[in-house]
Amino acid sequence: MLNKLKRNWTILWDGFRQTDKVTRRRHVILFALTCLTVFLAGTTFSSQGNGRGQYLDAAIYAVALLAILSSYAFARFIQARSYGVYAGLPFFIPMPVFLPFGTFGVMTRTANVGVNTRALFDIAFWGPVMSFSLSVPCLVLGTYLSDVVPAAPQFENPLLIKVLARVMKDIPMGYDLSMHPLLAAGWVGLFFTAINLFPLGSLSGGQIVYALFGNRQRDIAYMFMAFLFVMALYYPMWFAFVLLFIYLGVEHPEL
């Protein structure tokens, strides 16, 4: 275990050291801006009002969410480098402060040319596994720490959160959880994990489907896009995702 951690750290350090100074500076600035926007977004999940308590809640949300996103990005990076596949340092993408979450997520670019399907599958697989494995403890602990209050849900809660709330809390009709920052971070981490598992383009889901089914990924992707379009008729926010994925590309590049 210790040797594996040391090896992973060496891969990370070598990747950082081998990147030119201008690119490194860009990554650091984007990460710093993302820390700021995630922290500011975290203040909206605090029930402490203004003051030190609100800033502490914001810091809890920011640290938890950035840990989830970092685990996803660096798992992809380490897997790619361990297979000898080119991978760029992760790009953390800040979100304007007037929008929720505080970030648009994180992106790790990996090469497609000359990559075998086994390597492609492992690169795509371990990112979502890591982010999911950190999101779930945040959900459990965040649910335990959340208070039950008379209110409507802030988000359309996933089934996992509903099950945890039923098991861990006694929630009468017309009441809901006052979302603790850890629960919010776990929810957002689960959301980004789910988005990255869409079977589209160079997302982790698209890479997994391509590794398993080859060129049939294209058919699966277009069927999924049709499903997203139908979803958008009921939930208009999905139109933004439809347009985004059309812009980024629905088909996975040929290996």
Side-chain angles (χ1 to χ4, degrees):
M1 181 67 176
L2 216 59
N3 288 336
K4 190 172 182 181
L5 288 174
K6 184 189 264 188
R7 173 177 165 273
N8 290 345
W9 171 253
T10 302
I11 290 173
L12 285 174
W13 176 246
D14 285 346
F16 186 81
R17 187 171 47 83
Q18 291 165 8
T19 306
D20 63 89
K21 288 184 179 180
V22 174
T23 304
R24 277 202 304 252
R25 190 179 303 119
R26 187 186 308 132
H27 283 281
V28 170
I29 290 172
L30 283 172
F31 178 73
L33 288 173
T34 303
C35 289
L36 176 62
T37 56
V38 170
F39 177 82
L40 292 175
T43 60
T44 64
F45 297 113
S46 175
S47 58
Q48 302 295 322
N50 295 322
R52 185 179 300 174
Q54 186 182 36
Y55 296 138
L56 177 61
D57 284 347
I60 292 171
Y61 170 79
V63 170
L65 181 55
L66 288 169
I68 292 169
L69 296 178
S70 297
S71 70
Y72 171 86
F74 288 118
R76 283 180 59 89
F77 182 87
I78 289 169
Q79 282 296 316
R81 290 287 182 126
S82 65
Y83 275 103
V85 175
Y86 169 78
L89 291 175
F91 275 102
F92 287 83
I93 309 172
M95 179 183 282
V97 294
F98 53 82
L99 293 174
F101 304 165
T103 177
F104 285 109
V106 60
M107 179 178 66
T108 303
R109 294 174 177 169
T110 57
N112 293 306
V113 178
V115 182
N116 63 64
T117 53
R118 171 63 187 274
L120 182 68
F121 181 89
D122 283 351
I123 292 167
F125 178 75
W126 285 105
V129 167
M130 290 301 298
S131 60
F132 182 81
S133 64
L134 288 185
S135 296
V136 171
C138 289
L139 291 176
V140 174
L141 186 56
T143 300
Y144 176 77
L145 294 173
S146 295
D147 297 322
V148 178
V149 296
Q154 188 169 3
F155 299 115
E156 187 65 33
N157 289 330
L159 182 61
L160 181 57
I161 293 183
K162 291 180 180 179
V163 171
L164 286 173
R166 292 293 179 187
V167 171
M168 300 177 67
K169 297 285 185 178
D170 181 20
I171 305 178
M173 186 69 69
Y175 283 68
D176 194 50
L177 294 178
S178 174
M179 192 171 279
H180 188 273
L182 268 181
L183 179 55
W187 189 98
V188 177
L190 213 61
F191 175 79
F192 280 120
T193 301
I195 294 295
N196 277 299
L197 285 172
F198 285 179
L200 304 173
S202 293
L203 295 176
S204 290
Q207 291 179 324
I208 290 171
V209 171
Y210 187 89
L212 294 175
F213 303 108
N215 288 329
R216 281 184 287 176
Q217 181 271 340
R218 178 179 59 186
D219 302 326
I220 296 170
Y222 281 115
M223 285 191 289
F224 189 82
M225 286 293 288
F227 169 74
L228 277 186
F229 185 80
V230 172
M231 284 281 293
L233 298 178
Y234 297 93
Y235 301 97
M237 77 162 199
W238 286 107
F239 274 120
F241 287 99
V242 171
L243 294 174
L244 176 65
F245 294 132
I246 289 173
Y247 172 74
L248 293 177
V250 175
E251 302 176 21
H252 188 277
E254 292 284 345
L255 297 184

PDB file of all heavy atoms in Angstrom, residues 196-216:
ATOM      1  N   ASN A 196     -20.319  12.668 -15.670  1.00  0.00           N
ATOM      2  CA  ASN A 196     -19.134  12.101 -16.317  1.00  0.00           C
ATOM      3  C   ASN A 196     -19.339  10.667 -16.776  1.00  0.00           C
ATOM      4  O   ASN A 196     -18.547  10.159 -17.585  1.00  0.00           O
ATOM      5  CB  ASN A 196     -17.930  12.172 -15.368  1.00  0.00           C
ATOM      6  CG  ASN A 196     -17.249  13.525 -15.395  1.00  0.00           C
ATOM      7  OD1 ASN A 196     -16.761  13.959 -16.430  1.00  0.00           O
ATOM      8  ND2 ASN A 196     -17.235  14.210 -14.265  1.00  0.00           N
ATOM      9  N   LEU A 197     -20.381  10.012 -16.291  1.00  0.00           N
ATOM     10  CA  LEU A 197     -20.673   8.652 -16.728  1.00  0.00           C
ATOM     11  C   LEU A 197     -21.631   8.608 -17.919  1.00  0.00           C
ATOM     12  O   LEU A 197     -22.003   7.520 -18.363  1.00  0.00           O
ATOM     13  CB  LEU A 197     -21.243   7.836 -15.558  1.00  0.00           C
ATOM     14  CG  LEU A 197     -20.204   7.398 -14.516  1.00  0.00           C
ATOM     15  CD1 LEU A 197     -20.882   6.763 -13.307  1.00  0.00           C
ATOM     16  CD2 LEU A 197     -19.192   6.435 -15.129  1.00  0.00           C
ATOM     17  N   PHE A 198     -22.046   9.773 -18.417  1.00  0.00           N
ATOM     18  CA  PHE A 198     -22.848   9.779 -19.640  1.00  0.00           C
ATOM     19  C   PHE A 198     -22.018   9.128 -20.763  1.00  0.00           C
ATOM     20  O   PHE A 198     -20.832   9.427 -20.900  1.00  0.00           O
ATOM     21  CB  PHE A 198     -23.220  11.204 -20.050  1.00  0.00           C
ATOM     22  CG  PHE A 198     -24.297  11.825 -19.201  1.00  0.00           C
ATOM     23  CD1 PHE A 198     -24.722  13.129 -19.443  1.00  0.00           C
ATOM     24  CD2 PHE A 198     -24.899  11.136 -18.170  1.00  0.00           C
ATOM     25  CE1 PHE A 198     -25.723  13.712 -18.681  1.00  0.00           C
ATOM     26  CE2 PHE A 198     -25.895  11.715 -17.390  1.00  0.00           C
ATOM     27  CZ  PHE A 198     -26.300  13.012 -17.651  1.00  0.00           C
ATOM     28  N   PRO A 199     -22.619   8.292 -21.593  1.00  0.00           N
ATOM     29  CA  PRO A 199     -21.857   7.566 -22.632  1.00  0.00           C
ATOM     30  C   PRO A 199     -21.568   8.422 -23.863  1.00  0.00           C
ATOM     31  O   PRO A 199     -21.845   8.026 -24.995  1.00  0.00           O
ATOM     32  CB  PRO A 199     -22.788   6.397 -22.972  1.00  0.00           C
ATOM     33  CG  PRO A 199     -24.154   6.955 -22.766  1.00  0.00           C
ATOM     34  CD  PRO A 199     -24.047   7.891 -21.587  1.00  0.00           C
ATOM     35  N   LEU A 200     -20.997   9.604 -23.630  1.00  0.00           N
ATOM     36  CA  LEU A 200     -20.843  10.587 -24.703  1.00  0.00           C
ATOM     37  C   LEU A 200     -19.385  11.003 -24.856  1.00  0.00           C
ATOM     38  O   LEU A 200     -18.675  11.213 -23.857  1.00  0.00           O
ATOM     39  CB  LEU A 200     -21.689  11.828 -24.409  1.00  0.00           C
ATOM     40  CG  LEU A 200     -23.186  11.598 -24.174  1.00  0.00           C
ATOM     41  CD1 LEU A 200     -23.855  12.884 -23.717  1.00  0.00           C
ATOM     42  CD2 LEU A 200     -23.853  11.078 -25.428  1.00  0.00           C
ATOM     43  N   GLY A 201     -18.947  11.165 -26.097  1.00  0.00           N
ATOM     44  CA  GLY A 201     -17.655  11.760 -26.411  1.00  0.00           C
ATOM     45  C   GLY A 201     -16.508  11.194 -25.600  1.00  0.00           C
ATOM     46  O   GLY A 201     -16.355   9.982 -25.453  1.00  0.00           O
ATOM     47  N   SER A 202     -15.700  12.099 -25.044  1.00  0.00           N
ATOM     48  CA  SER A 202     -14.530  11.689 -24.260  1.00  0.00           C
ATOM     49  C   SER A 202     -14.782  11.750 -22.763  1.00  0.00           C
ATOM     50  O   SER A 202     -13.829  11.738 -21.965  1.00  0.00           O
ATOM     51  CB  SER A 202     -13.330  12.575 -24.616  1.00  0.00           C
ATOM     52  OG  SER A 202     -12.925  12.341 -25.953  1.00  0.00           O
ATOM     53  N   LEU A 203     -16.063  11.835 -22.354  1.00  0.00           N
ATOM     54  CA  LEU A 203     -16.378  11.679 -20.937  1.00  0.00           C
ATOM     55  C   LEU A 203     -15.993  10.264 -20.505  1.00  0.00           C
ATOM     56  O   LEU A 203     -15.832   9.361 -21.327  1.00  0.00           O
ATOM     57  CB  LEU A 203     -17.870  11.909 -20.688  1.00  0.00           C
ATOM     58  CG  LEU A 203     -18.429  13.305 -20.939  1.00  0.00           C
ATOM     59  CD1 LEU A 203     -19.935  13.309 -20.731  1.00  0.00           C
ATOM     60  CD2 LEU A 203     -17.778  14.334 -20.029  1.00  0.00           C
ATOM     61  N   SER A 204     -15.868  10.039 -19.210  1.00  0.00           N
ATOM     62  CA  SER A 204     -15.514   8.705 -18.725  1.00  0.00           C
ATOM     63  C   SER A 204     -16.509   7.661 -19.224  1.00  0.00           C
ATOM     64  O   SER A 204     -16.114   6.554 -19.619  1.00  0.00           O
ATOM     65  CB  SER A 204     -15.471   8.706 -17.194  1.00  0.00           C
ATOM     66  OG  SER A 204     -14.366   9.439 -16.730  1.00  0.00           O
ATOM     67  N   GLY A 205     -17.798   8.008 -19.201  1.00  0.00           N
ATOM     68  CA  GLY A 205     -18.807   7.074 -19.688  1.00  0.00           C
ATOM     69  C   GLY A 205     -18.635   6.757 -21.157  1.00  0.00           C
ATOM     70  O   GLY A 205     -18.775   5.601 -21.583  1.00  0.00           O
ATOM     71  N   GLY A 206     -18.327   7.774 -21.960  1.00  0.00           N
ATOM     72  CA  GLY A 206     -18.090   7.562 -23.385  1.00  0.00           C
ATOM     73  C   GLY A 206     -16.883   6.675 -23.626  1.00  0.00           C
ATOM     74  O   GLY A 206     -16.898   5.809 -24.507  1.00  0.00           O
ATOM     75  N   GLN A 207     -15.834   6.861 -22.833  1.00  0.00           N
ATOM     76  CA  GLN A 207     -14.628   6.038 -22.981  1.00  0.00           C
ATOM     77  C   GLN A 207     -14.893   4.593 -22.565  1.00  0.00           C
ATOM     78  O   GLN A 207     -14.418   3.653 -23.206  1.00  0.00           O
ATOM     79  CB  GLN A 207     -13.493   6.636 -22.157  1.00  0.00           C
ATOM     80  CG  GLN A 207     -12.990   7.962 -22.704  1.00  0.00           C
ATOM     81  CD  GLN A 207     -11.879   8.548 -21.858  1.00  0.00           C
ATOM     82  OE1 GLN A 207     -11.883   8.420 -20.635  1.00  0.00           O
ATOM     83  NE2 GLN A 207     -10.939   9.227 -22.498  1.00  0.00           N
ATOM     84  N   ILE A 208     -15.651   4.402 -21.481  1.00  0.00           N
ATOM     85  CA  ILE A 208     -15.970   3.046 -21.032  1.00  0.00           C
ATOM     86  C   ILE A 208     -16.793   2.310 -22.082  1.00  0.00           C
ATOM     87  O   ILE A 208     -16.516   1.150 -22.420  1.00  0.00           O
ATOM     88  CB  ILE A 208     -16.722   3.089 -19.679  1.00  0.00           C
ATOM     89  CG1 ILE A 208     -15.769   3.535 -18.561  1.00  0.00           C
ATOM     90  CG2 ILE A 208     -17.320   1.723 -19.346  1.00  0.00           C
ATOM     91  CD1 ILE A 208     -16.449   3.819 -17.235  1.00  0.00           C
ATOM     92  N   VAL A 209     -17.818   2.980 -22.623  1.00  0.00           N
ATOM     93  CA  VAL A 209     -18.674   2.350 -23.633  1.00  0.00           C
ATOM     94  C   VAL A 209     -17.863   2.054 -24.896  1.00  0.00           C
ATOM     95  O   VAL A 209     -18.019   0.991 -25.512  1.00  0.00           O
ATOM     96  CB  VAL A 209     -19.889   3.253 -23.952  1.00  0.00           C
ATOM     97  CG1 VAL A 209     -20.673   2.716 -25.148  1.00  0.00           C
ATOM     98  CG2 VAL A 209     -20.802   3.342 -22.741  1.00  0.00           C
ATOM     99  N   TYR A 210     -16.971   2.965 -25.275  1.00  0.00           N
ATOM    100  CA  TYR A 210     -16.139   2.729 -26.458  1.00  0.00           C
ATOM    101  C   TYR A 210     -15.190   1.544 -26.232  1.00  0.00           C
ATOM    102  O   TYR A 210     -14.972   0.722 -27.135  1.00  0.00           O
ATOM    103  CB  TYR A 210     -15.347   3.978 -26.809  1.00  0.00           C
ATOM    104  CG  TYR A 210     -14.599   3.868 -28.123  1.00  0.00           C
ATOM    105  CD1 TYR A 210     -15.210   4.232 -29.315  1.00  0.00           C
ATOM    106  CD2 TYR A 210     -13.298   3.385 -28.166  1.00  0.00           C
ATOM    107  CE1 TYR A 210     -14.531   4.121 -30.528  1.00  0.00           C
ATOM    108  CE2 TYR A 210     -12.616   3.268 -29.363  1.00  0.00           C
ATOM    109  CZ  TYR A 210     -13.236   3.639 -30.541  1.00  0.00           C
ATOM    110  OH  TYR A 210     -12.562   3.510 -31.736  1.00  0.00           O
ATOM    111  N   ALA A 211     -14.611   1.459 -25.029  1.00  0.00           N
ATOM    112  CA  ALA A 211     -13.713   0.344 -24.727  1.00  0.00           C
ATOM    113  C   ALA A 211     -14.448  -0.994 -24.767  1.00  0.00           C
ATOM    114  O   ALA A 211     -13.869  -2.012 -25.142  1.00  0.00           O
ATOM    115  CB  ALA A 211     -13.079   0.556 -23.349  1.00  0.00           C
ATOM    116  N   LEU A 212     -15.734  -0.986 -24.379  1.00  0.00           N
ATOM    117  CA  LEU A 212     -16.501  -2.230 -24.323  1.00  0.00           C
ATOM    118  C   LEU A 212     -17.136  -2.588 -25.667  1.00  0.00           C
ATOM    119  O   LEU A 212     -17.206  -3.767 -26.031  1.00  0.00           O
ATOM    120  CB  LEU A 212     -17.593  -2.126 -23.255  1.00  0.00           C
ATOM    121  CG  LEU A 212     -17.117  -2.025 -21.805  1.00  0.00           C
ATOM    122  CD1 LEU A 212     -18.299  -1.795 -20.876  1.00  0.00           C
ATOM    123  CD2 LEU A 212     -16.362  -3.275 -21.388  1.00  0.00           C
ATOM    124  N   PHE A 213     -17.626  -1.578 -26.390  1.00  0.00           N
ATOM    125  CA  PHE A 213     -18.437  -1.844 -27.585  1.00  0.00           C
ATOM    126  C   PHE A 213     -17.866  -1.282 -28.878  1.00  0.00           C
ATOM    127  O   PHE A 213     -18.478  -1.421 -29.943  1.00  0.00           O
ATOM    128  CB  PHE A 213     -19.857  -1.304 -27.386  1.00  0.00           C
ATOM    129  CG  PHE A 213     -20.556  -1.867 -26.183  1.00  0.00           C
ATOM    130  CD1 PHE A 213     -20.766  -1.084 -25.058  1.00  0.00           C
ATOM    131  CD2 PHE A 213     -20.978  -3.182 -26.166  1.00  0.00           C
ATOM    132  CE1 PHE A 213     -21.404  -1.603 -23.942  1.00  0.00           C
ATOM    133  CE2 PHE A 213     -21.626  -3.712 -25.070  1.00  0.00           C
ATOM    134  CZ  PHE A 213     -21.830  -2.913 -23.940  1.00  0.00           C
ATOM    135  N   GLY A 214     -16.725  -0.608 -28.806  1.00  0.00           N
ATOM    136  CA  GLY A 214     -16.110  -0.089 -30.020  1.00  0.00           C
ATOM    137  C   GLY A 214     -16.965   0.980 -30.688  1.00  0.00           C
ATOM    138  O   GLY A 214     -17.530   1.858 -30.020  1.00  0.00           O
ATOM    139  N   ASN A 215     -17.099   0.884 -32.017  1.00  0.00           N
ATOM    140  CA  ASN A 215     -17.808   1.911 -32.778  1.00  0.00           C
ATOM    141  C   ASN A 215     -19.304   1.970 -32.483  1.00  0.00           C
ATOM    142  O   ASN A 215     -19.974   2.932 -32.862  1.00  0.00           O
ATOM    143  CB  ASN A 215     -17.599   1.691 -34.279  1.00  0.00           C
ATOM    144  CG  ASN A 215     -16.176   2.036 -34.695  1.00  0.00           C
ATOM    145  OD1 ASN A 215     -15.549   2.917 -34.100  1.00  0.00           O
ATOM    146  ND2 ASN A 215     -15.658   1.338 -35.694  1.00  0.00           N
ATOM    147  N   ARG A 216     -19.840   0.953 -31.798  1.00  0.00           N
ATOM    148  CA  ARG A 216     -21.248   1.009 -31.419  1.00  0.00           C
ATOM    149  C   ARG A 216     -21.511   2.083 -30.362  1.00  0.00           C
ATOM    150  O   ARG A 216     -22.664   2.391 -30.056  1.00  0.00           O
ATOM    151  CB  ARG A 216     -21.722  -0.353 -30.921  1.00  0.00           C
ATOM    152  CG  ARG A 216     -22.020  -1.336 -32.063  1.00  0.00           C
ATOM    153  CD  ARG A 216     -22.574  -2.634 -31.545  1.00  0.00           C
ATOM    154  NE  ARG A 216     -21.531  -3.423 -30.885  1.00  0.00           N
ATOM    155  CZ  ARG A 216     -21.751  -4.576 -30.261  1.00  0.00           C
ATOM    156  NH1 ARG A 216     -22.979  -5.064 -30.199  1.00  0.00           N
ATOM    157  NH2 ARG A 216     -20.753  -5.239 -29.705  1.00  0.00           N
TER     158      ARG A 216
END
